[in-house]
Amino acid sequence: MLVKVRSVANVGLVALPVTVEVDVAEQGFPGFTIVGLAGKAVEEARERVKTAINNSGMDFPPKKITVNLAPADLPKDGGAYDLPMAVGILAASGQIQDSRFMIHDSIYYGELSLDGDLRATKGVLLVGLFARSISPSNPPLTAETRAEGEKVRGGNLKGVLPEIFVPIESANEAAVVEGISVFPVRNLKELVDHLNEVSVIKSLGYLVIEDLVEDERVEYDLAEVAGQEQAKRALTIAAAGGHNLVMWGPPGTGKTMLARAMPGILPPLLPAEALEVTRVYSVAGLLQPGESLVRRRPFRSPHHGVSAAGMIGGGSNPLPGEVSLAHLGVLFLDEMAEFPRSVLEGLRQPMEDGQVQIVRAAAHVSYPASFTLVAAVNPCPCGFLGHPRRECRCSELAIRKYRGRMSGPILDRIDLHVQVPAVEVEKLSNAPSGPPVTAKTRAGGEKVRGGRGSYDGSGDVRKKVIAARKIQEGRFKSDGIFINSQMKNRQVRKYCPLNGETERILRLAVEKWDLSARAYFKLIKVARTIADLGGEKDILPVHMAEALQYRQMG
Amino acid sequence: MKVLNREVGRKGEEIAAEYLAAKGYEVILRNYSTRFGEIDLICRGKDILVFVEVKAKKGLKFGRPEEMFTRYKLEKVKRMATVYLEGRDVPCRIDMVAVVLDEFNRPVEIKHYQNVT
């Protein structure tokens, strides 16, 4: 008998429908064949499915079994087809009452373990979004139309809402999708009992995105870094407007600590943003079991040994790289000059477009990669160039070679250049002796006083950043962007009119330093963010002057 | 143990031969062996020459007899069949007979699969 079971294939961030056709023939030599451009992992599903069925107390039929994964020209890989195949085989051999419509209409997705349990499988959020896209009611995802969604749900249109059966450990990912029924499946036996109406698997309740609490953990607080007010200010601007930042300075002055404090001053993800980030993490298989949504802005700090494929994304069925995992968050490159040139140059396209196109023989996918670049560099190989007391031992040539590793086009794309000089001893020794700053005191917005300089702790800075982002959000309501750094030139002209004096300062600087057209627009964007941080409606000369100050390279 | 296995195999072949004879096949050769191995049964069906591989199992504790018939074994039978034919062009096919025995070596189940290539 022939049974068709629905499943999906994830290509990049898109789920495409796949029909798993299972034929269990009465005639013919027993065997199990899988066709339909099945990758190695799908081929091996034969042994998993067979053993899982037997170990679940059901019979793997000793008959000629042919499985076809349609469409035939779409490459399929991974363990997610285990479940639809097992369901198809059990239905085609009469162990699931096939007269029920559910088998044909529901989507099955998940990898089987040999004992019949379902393992966490990547990409479940995409399955949920796909199911929603084919839902007849198709309710929107955001809060505004929640009431409408509740009506659909309250009406209990069983059989109208698309049903998906996914591993219990990954099911929470799909629970944030409205308008579908998500069934968390623990093992094959439980699923078969559910389909045969012997027992019932309860579908997951819809998780309202806005209700999911944000993880408050903070690794480093800005207040823990001694001095470095200028760098902290630059970090604040970078966080508020999403501008790229590079910190120049000798070893041990706090560059890395400052960068690591960045997550603590970034605003929480908006619901739509959280969904975007989670899609990437779901595909990459980086969500923890039971995790539903990424609620913190990503902070990625790949080691400089990273390959181009690791940074940009790659593989024959391309997976997202570091730039995409840092989407809507921070990509931190410590010791930027140590990264291979090819890796750094590969950043140019994503920095410009906010996404990466990865082309391989088997697939052509595009991943979002709208990140804020934060980099730390020593000024020279020995690190002490420009140090007030220590002598730099590098030759002119060595310094030139070292700087040459970061090409002009890359440095031109970085809006904020800031010095992180050696710290004065007095500032270090005046460290406060109280308990370390925790999330709790941070939330209280306590200003850290004492000899550590006059800059605020992360809690206060974050409030300012959030306020500045609110202003930007309001400004770009109809533009489909969120922050100043995402403005196109057309939007810069629209939202950033310059008055006479401001314009004059900018022109002067562009002529004096021979700045590129890109740098010209980037300067205006940074000035816009500085004005937003100050709560000013217009960009004043003082804002432009500060923006210009961050253009001088180390 | 080895001796016991051979006993099961021999018994299986005997049962298969009887079964095929009852179905109207004429068994013309048993245990045709070459340096490559052995063909269990060679039969003449209606207008066709049939090479038969017999697999017997005592109980199902260690899997079904069909599972013991691997792609490798099939290739082996094919090769020996080629040797047997010596280039003669006659219609032929390869069949498989699966025999399940009980503890007293009595057949519980006999299955005949035609044209397994």
Side-chain angles (χ1 to χ4, degrees):
Chain A
M1 194 172 85
L2 177 72
V3 172
K4 292 182 184 181
V5 184
R6 293 170 65 161
S7 193
V8 302
N10 293 332
V11 177
L13 288 186
V14 193
L16 300 171
V18 166
T19 306
V20 179
E21 304 176 346
V22 181
D23 182 60
V24 176
E26 292 305 319
Q27 298 287 313
F29 190 72
F32 188 176
T33 323
I34 300 172
V35 296
L37 273 196
K40 186 78 180 140
V42 183
E43 278 290 321
E44 288 171 353
R46 285 208 304 254
E47 305 304 323
R48 282 196 298 273
V49 169
K50 188 172 174 178
T51 317
I53 289 180
N54 282 331
N55 285 343
S56 300
M58 289 166 287
D59 294 321
F60 186 84
K63 292 178 179 158
K64 184 178 166 68
I65 300 171
T66 313
V67 171
N68 179 34
L69 306 173
D73 59 347
L74 177 71
K76 299 152 200 88
D77 213 344
Y81 305 103
D82 293 2
L83 186 62
M85 281 190 224
V87 168
I89 289 169
L90 291 170
S93 59
Q95 296 179 80
I96 296 174
Q97 303 315 308
D98 177 57
S99 55
R100 302 173 48 79
F101 65 91
M102 295 174 93
I103 290 171
H104 299 295
D105 281 357
S106 308
I107 293 171
Y108 297 84
Y109 186 91
E111 179 182 329
L112 281 170
S113 162
L114 290 185
D115 57 7
D117 284 358
L118 269 105
R119 297 172 47 83
T121 310
K122 49 189 183 182
V124 167
L125 173 60
L126 269 61
V127 181
L129 291 170
F130 172 79
R132 180 176 158 272
S133 73
I134 59 168
S135 163
S137 48
N138 202 357
L141 269 171
T142 45
E144 295 93 66
T145 39
R146 175 90 354 94
E148 203 179 312
E150 287 303 326
K151 247 186 279 161
V152 176
R153 204 161 273 266
N156 190 22
L157 302 168
K158 193 177 180 324
V160 174
L161 295 184
E163 298 180 336
I164 67 171
F165 290 86
V166 293
I168 191 162
E169 283 186 2
S170 309
N172 275 346
E173 289 179 30
V176 297
V177 182
E178 202 171 359
I180 60 170
S181 297
V182 181
F183 290 91
V185 183
R186 192 180 309 276
N187 56 47
L188 194 54
K189 180 75 185 138
E190 199 183 81
L191 173 61
V192 171
D193 284 348
H194 172 83
L195 293 175
N196 283 333
E197 295 184 319
V198 175
S199 61
V200 173
I201 299 176
K202 257 190 76 168
S203 70
L204 283 182
Y206 166 61
L207 293 171
V208 180
I209 296 177
E210 288 86 345
D211 289 355
L212 296 170
V213 280
E214 189 210 353
D215 194 344
E216 275 274 350
R217 262 179 308 122
V218 179
E219 203 184 355
Y220 289 97
D221 195 287
L222 270 188
E224 287 176 63
V225 183
Q228 309 298 12
E229 285 77 16
Q230 201 199 7
K232 287 177 184 174
R233 170 72 178 163
L235 214 56
T236 310
I237 297 169
H243 305 288
N244 301 318
L245 165 71
V246 59
M247 294 180 278
W248 301 82
T253 54
K255 299 188 295 293
T256 307
M257 269 176 93
L258 283 167
R260 295 207 173 270
M262 183 99 169
I265 62 169
L266 284 169
L269 286 164
L270 303 172
E273 288 181 323
L275 208 59
E276 262 190 68
V277 174
T278 310
R279 252 154 58 125
V280 178
Y281 277 69
S282 176
V283 166
L286 289 178
L287 293 173
Q288 301 299 316
E291 191 175 0
S292 57
L293 208 61
V294 177
R295 289 303 278 146
R296 312 184 73 202
R297 289 192 184 265
F299 181 86
R300 303 292 297 187
S301 66
H303 184 258
H304 56 246
V306 65
S307 69
M311 183 68 100
I312 306 305
S316 59
N317 186 16
L319 285 175
E322 290 293 332
V323 291
S324 300
L325 296 175
H327 181 54
L328 299 175
V330 174
L331 179 68
F332 174 49
L333 304 183
D334 207 353
E335 310 295 351
M336 184 165 77
E338 304 298 333
F339 281 76
R341 201 191 167 96
S342 60
V343 171
L344 289 181
E345 298 305 315
L347 293 176
R348 279 156 65 167
Q349 191 214 355
M351 282 170 83
E352 209 62 17
D353 305 342
Q355 56 172 343
V356 273
Q357 314 278 345
I358 307 166
V359 184
R360 293 289 186 273
H364 177 160
V365 304
S366 141
Y367 284 116
S370 182
F371 56 88
T372 302
L373 179 75
V374 175
V377 206
N378 291 334
C380 66
C382 83
F384 293 108
L385 183 69
H387 194 282
R389 288 172 303 279
R390 293 189 61 165
E391 198 186 337
C392 170
R393 300 170 171 281
C394 306
S395 68
E396 186 106 355
L397 181 69
I399 295 172
R400 215 178 324 143
K401 268 176 89 172
Y402 185 76
R403 300 256 173 125
R405 292 188 202 162
M406 296 159 292
S407 70
I410 286 291
L411 292 176
D412 195 48
R413 283 172 169 79
I414 298 179
D415 322 79
L416 306 165
H417 293 257
V418 68
Q419 297 286 344
V420 185
V423 201
E424 306 296 327
V425 185
E426 306 87 72
K427 288 194 176 177
L428 284 178
S429 52
N430 279 342
S433 54
V437 184
T438 59
K440 216 170 159 192
T441 56
R442 186 178 71 98
E446 178 197 330
K447 190 163 178 169
V448 179
R449 285 170 224 284
R452 284 215 153 187
S454 54
Y455 213 79
D456 293 337
S458 289
D460 286 339
V461 173
R462 191 179 196 222
K463 277 184 196 147
K464 281 193 210 159
V465 169
I466 291 173
R469 288 241 177 167
K470 274 262 147 49
I471 297 173
Q472 299 172 54
E473 220 181 292
R475 175 183 306 140
F476 303 129
K477 254 198 309 273
S478 55
D479 293 276
I481 59 175
F482 301 102
I483 44 179
N484 289 336
S485 61
Q486 291 171 327
M487 277 193 284
K488 301 268 176 274
N489 292 351
R490 186 172 44 79
Q491 287 152 339
V492 172
R493 288 202 184 88
K494 183 170 161 199
Y495 294 119
C496 310
L498 301 178
N499 65 31
E501 178 61 11
T502 315
E503 173 100 48
R504 199 184 63 79
I505 297 175
L506 179 58
R507 272 184 191 284
L508 218 62
V510 167
E511 275 164 28
K512 189 172 166 207
W513 294 334
D514 278 328
L515 293 177
S516 68
R518 175 168 35 226
Y520 175 87
F521 283 106
K522 279 189 173 278
L523 275 165
I524 300 177
K525 290 186 223 176
V526 173
R528 180 69 263 174
T529 302
I530 295 171
D532 289 342
L533 272 171
E536 287 291 345
K537 203 171 145 287
D538 298 317
I539 302 174
L540 302 176
V542 57
H543 302 137
M544 184 56 75
E546 190 182 348
L548 281 167
Q549 185 189 319
Y550 299 116
R551 259 287 150 183
Q552 293 151 359
M553 296 183 190
Chain B
M1 191 63 216
K2 206 78 217 147
V3 180
L4 244 141
N5 273 348
R6 197 178 299 158
E7 174 65 18
V8 170
R10 204 194 50 73
K11 186 75 191 164
E13 280 165 26
E14 211 170 90
I15 292 165
E18 279 170 31
Y19 178 80
L20 290 175
K23 264 182 120 179
Y25 292 88
E26 181 195 343
V27 180
I28 48 178
L29 202 57
R30 280 167 80 154
N31 296 330
Y32 167 76
S33 76
T34 71
R35 48 192 286 215
F36 300 115
E38 218 177 59
I39 298 185
D40 293 335
L41 299 172
I42 300 177
C43 309
R44 191 175 300 140
K46 208 170 172 240
D47 306 322
I48 193 162
L49 191 63
V50 185
F51 301 97
V52 184
E53 172 67 21
V54 180
K55 283 281 172 204
K57 284 248 137 196
K58 200 164 179 170
L60 289 172
K61 229 169 155 182
F62 295 99
R64 292 200 53 87
E66 286 89 340
E67 289 174 49
M68 303 298 125
F69 186 58
T70 57
R71 188 144 292 276
Y72 170 73
K73 184 71 197 175
L74 175 67
E75 287 309 313
K76 234 169 131 173
V77 174
K78 263 190 201 168
R79 232 178 308 149
M80 289 180 292
T82 317
V83 173
Y84 177 83
L85 289 171
E86 288 174 349
R88 281 169 292 185
D89 190 16
V90 284
C92 63
R93 65 163 201 254
I94 296 174
D95 285 9
M96 192 248 170
V97 175
V99 182
V100 181
L101 302 171
D102 67 6
E103 52 185 315
F104 307 109
N105 282 351
R106 286 177 308 211
V108 185
E109 189 189 329
I110 305 171
K111 273 195 168 159
H112 176 203
Y113 299 102
Q114 302 190 1
N115 203 7
V116 291
T117 38

Short mmCIF file of all heavy atoms in Angstrom, two decimals, chain B residues 32-71:
data_model
loop_
_atom_site.label_atom_id
_atom_site.label_comp_id
_atom_site.label_asym_id
_atom_site.label_seq_id
_atom_site.Cartn_x
_atom_site.Cartn_y
_atom_site.Cartn_z
N TYR B 32 25.48 -27.13 -7.22
CA TYR B 32 26.44 -26.95 -8.31
C TYR B 32 27.56 -26.08 -7.78
O TYR B 32 27.33 -24.93 -7.39
CB TYR B 32 25.75 -26.28 -9.50
CG TYR B 32 26.70 -25.77 -10.55
CD1 TYR B 32 27.32 -26.66 -11.44
CD2 TYR B 32 26.98 -24.41 -10.67
CE1 TYR B 32 28.19 -26.19 -12.40
CE2 TYR B 32 27.85 -23.93 -11.63
CZ TYR B 32 28.46 -24.83 -12.49
OH TYR B 32 29.32 -24.37 -13.44
N SER B 33 28.78 -26.63 -7.72
CA SER B 33 29.83 -25.82 -7.10
C SER B 33 30.96 -25.54 -8.08
O SER B 33 31.33 -26.40 -8.88
CB SER B 33 30.35 -26.48 -5.83
OG SER B 33 31.18 -27.55 -6.19
N THR B 34 31.44 -24.33 -8.03
CA THR B 34 32.61 -23.93 -8.81
C THR B 34 33.61 -23.37 -7.82
O THR B 34 33.36 -23.35 -6.62
CB THR B 34 32.24 -22.81 -9.80
OG1 THR B 34 32.02 -21.62 -9.06
CG2 THR B 34 30.99 -23.16 -10.60
N ARG B 35 34.73 -22.90 -8.36
CA ARG B 35 35.73 -22.34 -7.44
C ARG B 35 35.23 -21.04 -6.80
O ARG B 35 35.79 -20.56 -5.82
CB ARG B 35 37.03 -22.10 -8.19
CG ARG B 35 36.82 -21.38 -9.50
CD ARG B 35 38.07 -21.43 -10.31
NE ARG B 35 39.04 -20.50 -9.72
CZ ARG B 35 39.91 -19.80 -10.42
NH1 ARG B 35 39.93 -19.92 -11.74
NH2 ARG B 35 40.77 -19.01 -9.86
N PHE B 36 34.19 -20.44 -7.38
CA PHE B 36 33.65 -19.21 -6.80
C PHE B 36 32.68 -19.47 -5.67
O PHE B 36 32.35 -18.57 -4.90
CB PHE B 36 32.92 -18.38 -7.86
CG PHE B 36 33.82 -17.98 -9.00
CD1 PHE B 36 33.59 -18.45 -10.27
CD2 PHE B 36 34.90 -17.13 -8.79
CE1 PHE B 36 34.41 -18.08 -11.32
CE2 PHE B 36 35.73 -16.76 -9.83
CZ PHE B 36 35.49 -17.24 -11.11
N GLY B 37 32.15 -20.67 -5.61
CA GLY B 37 31.14 -20.95 -4.60
C GLY B 37 30.12 -21.94 -5.14
O GLY B 37 30.44 -22.73 -6.03
N GLU B 38 28.91 -21.82 -4.62
CA GLU B 38 27.93 -22.86 -4.88
C GLU B 38 26.59 -22.25 -5.26
O GLU B 38 26.21 -21.21 -4.73
CB GLU B 38 27.75 -23.65 -3.58
CG GLU B 38 27.56 -25.13 -3.80
CD GLU B 38 27.47 -25.87 -2.47
OE1 GLU B 38 26.55 -25.54 -1.69
OE2 GLU B 38 28.31 -26.73 -2.22
N ILE B 39 25.88 -22.90 -6.17
CA ILE B 39 24.47 -22.56 -6.38
C ILE B 39 23.67 -23.69 -5.75
O ILE B 39 23.90 -24.86 -6.05
CB ILE B 39 24.12 -22.43 -7.87
CG1 ILE B 39 24.95 -21.29 -8.51
CG2 ILE B 39 22.64 -22.15 -8.05
CD1 ILE B 39 24.59 -21.02 -9.95
N ASP B 40 22.73 -23.31 -4.87
CA ASP B 40 22.02 -24.33 -4.11
C ASP B 40 21.19 -25.22 -5.02
O ASP B 40 21.28 -26.44 -4.94
CB ASP B 40 21.13 -23.67 -3.05
CG ASP B 40 21.97 -22.97 -1.99
OD1 ASP B 40 23.14 -23.40 -1.80
OD2 ASP B 40 21.49 -22.01 -1.37
N LEU B 41 20.34 -24.61 -5.86
CA LEU B 41 19.46 -25.40 -6.74
C LEU B 41 19.45 -24.78 -8.13
O LEU B 41 19.45 -23.55 -8.26
CB LEU B 41 18.02 -25.40 -6.20
CG LEU B 41 17.75 -25.98 -4.83
CD1 LEU B 41 16.31 -25.71 -4.43
CD2 LEU B 41 18.04 -27.48 -4.81
N ILE B 42 19.44 -25.64 -9.13
CA ILE B 42 19.18 -25.17 -10.49
C ILE B 42 17.96 -25.93 -10.99
O ILE B 42 17.92 -27.16 -10.94
CB ILE B 42 20.38 -25.38 -11.41
CG1 ILE B 42 21.61 -24.63 -10.84
CG2 ILE B 42 20.08 -24.91 -12.82
CD1 ILE B 42 22.88 -24.82 -11.64
N CYS B 43 16.93 -25.15 -11.40
CA CYS B 43 15.67 -25.78 -11.77
C CYS B 43 15.27 -25.37 -13.18
O CYS B 43 15.73 -24.34 -13.69
CB CYS B 43 14.53 -25.35 -10.84
SG CYS B 43 14.92 -25.52 -9.12
N ARG B 44 14.40 -26.17 -13.77
CA ARG B 44 13.81 -25.78 -15.04
C ARG B 44 12.35 -25.47 -14.79
O ARG B 44 11.59 -26.30 -14.33
CB ARG B 44 13.95 -26.91 -16.06
CG ARG B 44 13.61 -26.46 -17.46
CD ARG B 44 13.86 -27.55 -18.48
NE ARG B 44 15.29 -27.94 -18.47
CZ ARG B 44 15.70 -29.20 -18.58
NH1 ARG B 44 14.83 -30.18 -18.69
NH2 ARG B 44 16.98 -29.50 -18.59
N GLY B 45 11.99 -24.20 -15.04
CA GLY B 45 10.58 -23.82 -14.92
C GLY B 45 9.97 -23.85 -16.30
O GLY B 45 10.53 -24.45 -17.22
N LYS B 46 8.84 -23.16 -16.44
CA LYS B 46 8.19 -23.12 -17.74
C LYS B 46 9.00 -22.20 -18.66
O LYS B 46 9.03 -21.00 -18.46
CB LYS B 46 6.77 -22.56 -17.56
CG LYS B 46 5.82 -23.05 -18.60
CD LYS B 46 4.37 -22.68 -18.25
CE LYS B 46 3.48 -23.01 -19.42
NZ LYS B 46 2.78 -21.88 -19.97
N ASP B 47 9.71 -22.75 -19.61
CA ASP B 47 10.50 -21.99 -20.58
C ASP B 47 11.58 -21.13 -19.95
O ASP B 47 12.01 -20.14 -20.53
CB ASP B 47 9.60 -21.05 -21.42
CG ASP B 47 8.47 -21.78 -22.07
OD1 ASP B 47 8.71 -22.92 -22.50
OD2 ASP B 47 7.38 -21.21 -22.11
N ILE B 48 12.01 -21.48 -18.75
CA ILE B 48 13.04 -20.63 -18.14
C ILE B 48 13.91 -21.45 -17.20
O ILE B 48 13.44 -22.39 -16.55
CB ILE B 48 12.39 -19.42 -17.41
CG1 ILE B 48 13.46 -18.36 -17.06
CG2 ILE B 48 11.65 -19.85 -16.16
CD1 ILE B 48 12.89 -17.01 -16.75
N LEU B 49 15.17 -21.06 -17.17
CA LEU B 49 16.11 -21.72 -16.28
C LEU B 49 16.17 -20.89 -14.99
O LEU B 49 16.28 -19.67 -15.04
CB LEU B 49 17.49 -21.76 -16.95
CG LEU B 49 18.54 -22.64 -16.29
CD1 LEU B 49 18.11 -24.11 -16.31
CD2 LEU B 49 19.87 -22.49 -17.02
N VAL B 50 16.07 -21.54 -13.84
CA VAL B 50 16.01 -20.79 -12.58
C VAL B 50 17.15 -21.20 -11.66
O VAL B 50 17.32 -22.38 -11.36
CB VAL B 50 14.66 -21.04 -11.87
CG1 VAL B 50 14.57 -20.16 -10.62
CG2 VAL B 50 13.50 -20.77 -12.79
N PHE B 51 17.94 -20.21 -11.26
CA PHE B 51 18.97 -20.44 -10.25
C PHE B 51 18.38 -20.05 -8.90
O PHE B 51 17.81 -18.96 -8.76
CB PHE B 51 20.21 -19.59 -10.54
CG PHE B 51 20.82 -19.87 -11.88
CD1 PHE B 51 20.52 -19.07 -12.97
CD2 PHE B 51 21.67 -20.95 -12.05
CE1 PHE B 51 21.08 -19.33 -14.21
CE2 PHE B 51 22.22 -21.23 -13.29
CZ PHE B 51 21.93 -20.42 -14.38
N VAL B 52 18.51 -20.94 -7.93
CA VAL B 52 17.85 -20.68 -6.66
C VAL B 52 18.86 -20.64 -5.51
O VAL B 52 19.70 -21.53 -5.38
CB VAL B 52 16.79 -21.77 -6.35
CG1 VAL B 52 16.04 -21.42 -5.06
CG2 VAL B 52 15.84 -21.92 -7.51
N GLU B 53 18.76 -19.59 -4.73
CA GLU B 53 19.55 -19.50 -3.50
C GLU B 53 18.59 -19.79 -2.35
O GLU B 53 17.53 -19.17 -2.23
CB GLU B 53 20.16 -18.10 -3.38
CG GLU B 53 20.84 -17.81 -2.06
CD GLU B 53 22.10 -18.63 -1.82
OE1 GLU B 53 22.69 -19.16 -2.80
OE2 GLU B 53 22.48 -18.79 -0.64
N VAL B 54 18.99 -20.74 -1.50
CA VAL B 54 18.12 -21.09 -0.38
C VAL B 54 18.75 -20.55 0.91
O VAL B 54 19.95 -20.70 1.14
CB VAL B 54 17.95 -22.62 -0.27
CG1 VAL B 54 17.04 -22.97 0.90
CG2 VAL B 54 17.42 -23.18 -1.56
N LYS B 55 17.92 -19.90 1.70
CA LYS B 55 18.40 -19.45 3.02
C LYS B 55 17.45 -20.04 4.06
O LYS B 55 16.22 -19.90 3.97
CB LYS B 55 18.36 -17.92 3.10
CG LYS B 55 19.49 -17.25 2.37
CD LYS B 55 20.79 -17.29 3.18
CE LYS B 55 21.97 -16.80 2.37
NZ LYS B 55 23.24 -17.35 2.90
N ALA B 56 18.05 -20.72 5.02
CA ALA B 56 17.22 -21.32 6.06
C ALA B 56 17.63 -20.78 7.42
O ALA B 56 18.80 -20.46 7.65
CB ALA B 56 17.38 -22.83 6.03
N LYS B 57 16.66 -20.66 8.31
CA LYS B 57 16.93 -20.17 9.67
C LYS B 57 16.15 -21.01 10.65
O LYS B 57 14.99 -21.36 10.40
CB LYS B 57 16.47 -18.71 9.80
CG LYS B 57 17.38 -17.75 9.15
CD LYS B 57 18.05 -16.89 10.20
CE LYS B 57 19.51 -16.70 9.91
NZ LYS B 57 20.25 -16.21 11.04
N LYS B 58 16.78 -21.31 11.74
CA LYS B 58 16.08 -22.04 12.79
C LYS B 58 15.57 -21.00 13.78
O LYS B 58 16.34 -20.40 14.50
CB LYS B 58 17.06 -22.98 13.48
CG LYS B 58 16.40 -24.10 14.23
CD LYS B 58 17.42 -25.17 14.52
CE LYS B 58 16.83 -26.31 15.29
NZ LYS B 58 17.77 -27.45 15.36
N GLY B 59 14.25 -20.74 13.74
CA GLY B 59 13.70 -19.69 14.59
C GLY B 59 14.05 -18.31 14.03
O GLY B 59 14.88 -18.18 13.14
N LEU B 60 13.39 -17.30 14.59
CA LEU B 60 13.60 -15.94 14.06
C LEU B 60 14.41 -15.07 15.02
O LEU B 60 14.50 -13.87 14.87
CB LEU B 60 12.26 -15.28 13.77
CG LEU B 60 11.51 -15.86 12.58
CD1 LEU B 60 10.12 -15.28 12.48
CD2 LEU B 60 12.28 -15.62 11.28
N LYS B 61 15.02 -15.74 16.00
CA LYS B 61 15.73 -15.01 17.03
C LYS B 61 16.88 -14.18 16.46
O LYS B 61 17.19 -13.10 16.94
CB LYS B 61 16.30 -16.01 18.04
CG LYS B 61 15.99 -15.64 19.47
CD LYS B 61 16.35 -16.80 20.35
CE LYS B 61 16.66 -16.36 21.76
NZ LYS B 61 17.07 -17.53 22.57
N PHE B 62 17.48 -14.69 15.41
CA PHE B 62 18.63 -13.98 14.84
C PHE B 62 18.29 -13.34 13.50
O PHE B 62 19.11 -13.22 12.62
CB PHE B 62 19.83 -14.93 14.71
CG PHE B 62 20.33 -15.39 16.04
CD1 PHE B 62 19.97 -16.63 16.54
CD2 PHE B 62 21.12 -14.55 16.82
CE1 PHE B 62 20.41 -17.03 17.80
CE2 PHE B 62 21.56 -14.95 18.06
CZ PHE B 62 21.20 -16.20 18.56
N GLY B 63 17.03 -12.96 13.33
CA GLY B 63 16.64 -12.25 12.13
C GLY B 63 16.00 -13.16 11.10
O GLY B 63 15.97 -14.39 11.24
N ARG B 64 15.45 -12.56 10.06
CA ARG B 64 14.77 -13.32 9.03
C ARG B 64 15.78 -13.85 8.02
O ARG B 64 16.83 -13.26 7.80
CB ARG B 64 13.76 -12.41 8.31
CG ARG B 64 12.58 -11.99 9.19
CD ARG B 64 11.43 -11.56 8.33
NE ARG B 64 11.07 -12.55 7.34
CZ ARG B 64 10.22 -13.55 7.56
NH1 ARG B 64 9.68 -13.70 8.75
NH2 ARG B 64 9.94 -14.41 6.61
N PRO B 65 15.45 -15.02 7.38
CA PRO B 65 16.38 -15.57 6.39
C PRO B 65 16.65 -14.58 5.25
O PRO B 65 17.77 -14.54 4.73
CB PRO B 65 15.68 -16.83 5.89
CG PRO B 65 14.32 -16.83 6.46
CD PRO B 65 14.32 -15.92 7.63
N GLU B 66 15.63 -13.77 4.92
CA GLU B 66 15.82 -12.82 3.82
C GLU B 66 16.97 -11.85 4.09
O GLU B 66 17.65 -11.41 3.17
CB GLU B 66 14.53 -12.00 3.60
CG GLU B 66 13.39 -12.75 2.94
CD GLU B 66 12.51 -13.45 3.96
OE1 GLU B 66 12.97 -13.66 5.10
OE2 GLU B 66 11.36 -13.78 3.63
N GLU B 67 17.14 -11.53 5.37
CA GLU B 67 18.19 -10.56 5.70
C GLU B 67 19.58 -11.12 5.43
O GLU B 67 20.54 -10.38 5.31
CB GLU B 67 18.08 -10.16 7.17
CG GLU B 67 16.87 -9.30 7.46
CD GLU B 67 16.72 -9.05 8.95
OE1 GLU B 67 17.72 -8.68 9.57
OE2 GLU B 67 15.62 -9.26 9.48
N MET B 68 19.67 -12.47 5.38
CA MET B 68 20.98 -13.09 5.18
C MET B 68 21.38 -13.08 3.71
O MET B 68 22.50 -13.38 3.37
CB MET B 68 20.96 -14.54 5.68
CG MET B 68 20.55 -14.67 7.13
SD MET B 68 21.71 -13.82 8.20
CE MET B 68 20.60 -12.75 9.09
N PHE B 69 20.39 -12.77 2.86
CA PHE B 69 20.68 -12.74 1.43
C PHE B 69 21.10 -11.32 1.07
O PHE B 69 20.27 -10.45 0.86
CB PHE B 69 19.43 -13.17 0.65
CG PHE B 69 19.68 -13.31 -0.83
CD1 PHE B 69 20.65 -14.18 -1.31
CD2 PHE B 69 18.93 -12.58 -1.73
CE1 PHE B 69 20.87 -14.31 -2.67
CE2 PHE B 69 19.14 -12.72 -3.10
CZ PHE B 69 20.12 -13.58 -3.57
N THR B 70 22.40 -11.12 1.01
CA THR B 70 22.91 -9.76 0.82
C THR B 70 23.19 -9.49 -0.65
O THR B 70 23.16 -10.39 -1.49
CB THR B 70 24.21 -9.56 1.61
OG1 THR B 70 25.12 -10.56 1.16
CG2 THR B 70 23.99 -9.72 3.09
N ARG B 71 23.46 -8.24 -0.92
CA ARG B 71 23.82 -7.84 -2.28
C ARG B 71 25.07 -8.60 -2.75
O ARG B 71 25.19 -9.01 -3.89
CB ARG B 71 24.10 -6.33 -2.28
CG ARG B 71 24.29 -5.71 -3.62
CD ARG B 71 23.70 -4.32 -3.66
NE ARG B 71 22.25 -4.33 -3.56
CZ ARG B 71 21.43 -4.51 -4.60
NH1 ARG B 71 21.93 -4.69 -5.82
NH2 ARG B 71 20.14 -4.52 -4.45
#
